[in-house]
Amino acid sequence: MVLKPAEFLVETVEAGMGEVLVYVEDPEGHTEEARVIPNNDKNRTYSVVYLPKVEGLHKVKVLFAGQDIDRSPFMVNISKAMGDPTRVQARGPGLQPTGNVVNKPTYFDIYTAGAGAGDVGVIIVDSNSRRDTVEIVLENRGDSIFRCTYVPVLEGPHTIYVTFAGQQIPRSPFTVSISEGGFHTFFLET
């Protein structure tokens, strides 16, 4: 992961004498020499540590006595540090247990400041246990705030799952009871 030390071991006991050198090239083409620490043990192992600074495919070249070892360079995919879902909060009228009405848009906000990197996800399961009837619009409002707007089409209990970095946030799933709208509003204009 980005900014987390990556470590591995090189064993040279059957290779004779030679120096271990390790170079790490990031996706942007920057190459750095990794730290190689001889462990002075019977298998003549070397501990190698490097700190990836960007995500993506890195080339790790391991040289012994000036030659690439078997399978070097190794391709290593570095991912973004995973976010912490426990630091994410969601609130707004669309998560209130009551007060939301059929066919009327409602919303809630998801606050991800301080939670690290991760994708926000929302799944709404309707009162018939279907997850494809409620249209969800998720917009990034900046400042680590995401707004989820949705329009329920059925009355009854709906279950709203809010995830961050693939895991549910605290208090998720939320249960929201959708009430039937007053039909009299449709006849006011006639």
Side-chain angles (χ1 to χ4, degrees):
M1 284 183 185
V2 173
L3 296 180
K4 288 242 173 88
E7 300 178 36
F8 63 93
L9 206 60
V10 180
E11 195 176 288
T12 66
V13 67
E14 291 169 8
M17 299 307 288
E19 190 185 8
V20 173
L21 285 173
V22 177
Y23 297 97
V24 180
E25 183 185 328
D26 72 18
E28 292 156 15
H30 304 126
T31 300
E32 278 187 26
E33 194 172 336
R35 240 174 66 216
V36 178
I37 304 136
N39 294 320
N40 299 319
D41 53 4
K42 64 175 174 37
N43 285 339
R44 290 214 296 274
T45 64
Y46 294 79
S47 294
V48 183
V49 185
Y50 64 97
L51 189 70
K53 295 181 183 65
V54 295
E55 58 180 324
L57 218 49
H58 285 55
K59 235 188 239 176
V60 180
K61 275 180 79 71
V62 181
L63 305 176
F64 181 76
Q67 302 284 312
D68 272 302
I69 69 165
D70 192 30
R71 303 218 312 275
S72 172
F74 298 86
M75 301 308 283
V76 180
N77 193 27
I78 304 295
S79 61
K80 264 193 195 152
M82 285 312 286
D84 179 0
T86 64
R87 302 187 63 168
V88 176
Q89 293 183 329
R91 39 183 197 275
L95 291 178
Q96 296 300 320
T98 57
N100 291 295
V101 179
V102 168
N103 292 325
K104 195 170 166 228
T106 184
Y107 75 92
F108 59 91
D109 290 329
I110 303 162
Y111 301 87
T112 64
D119 289 328
V120 171
V122 176
I123 295 169
I124 300 180
V125 179
D126 70 17
S127 48
N128 287 342
S129 301
R130 290 188 51 179
R131 57 171 62 197
D132 57 359
T133 60
V134 182
E135 193 179 327
I136 299 169
V137 176
L138 201 54
E139 58 173 319
N140 184 344
R141 296 176 67 87
D143 281 340
S144 305
I145 300 169
F146 295 82
R147 174 156 292 181
C148 176
T149 306
Y150 69 95
V151 183
V153 292
L154 288 176
E155 61 177 318
H158 285 53
T159 307
I160 301 179
Y161 297 86
V162 181
T163 59
F164 181 74
Q167 295 178 61
Q168 289 196 66
I169 70 164
R171 308 211 341 260
S172 176
F174 301 83
T175 302
V176 176
S177 186
I178 305 296
S179 59
E180 195 179 351
F183 283 113
H184 56 274
T185 51
F186 294 111
F187 304 114
L188 286 178
E189 291 156 22
T190 56

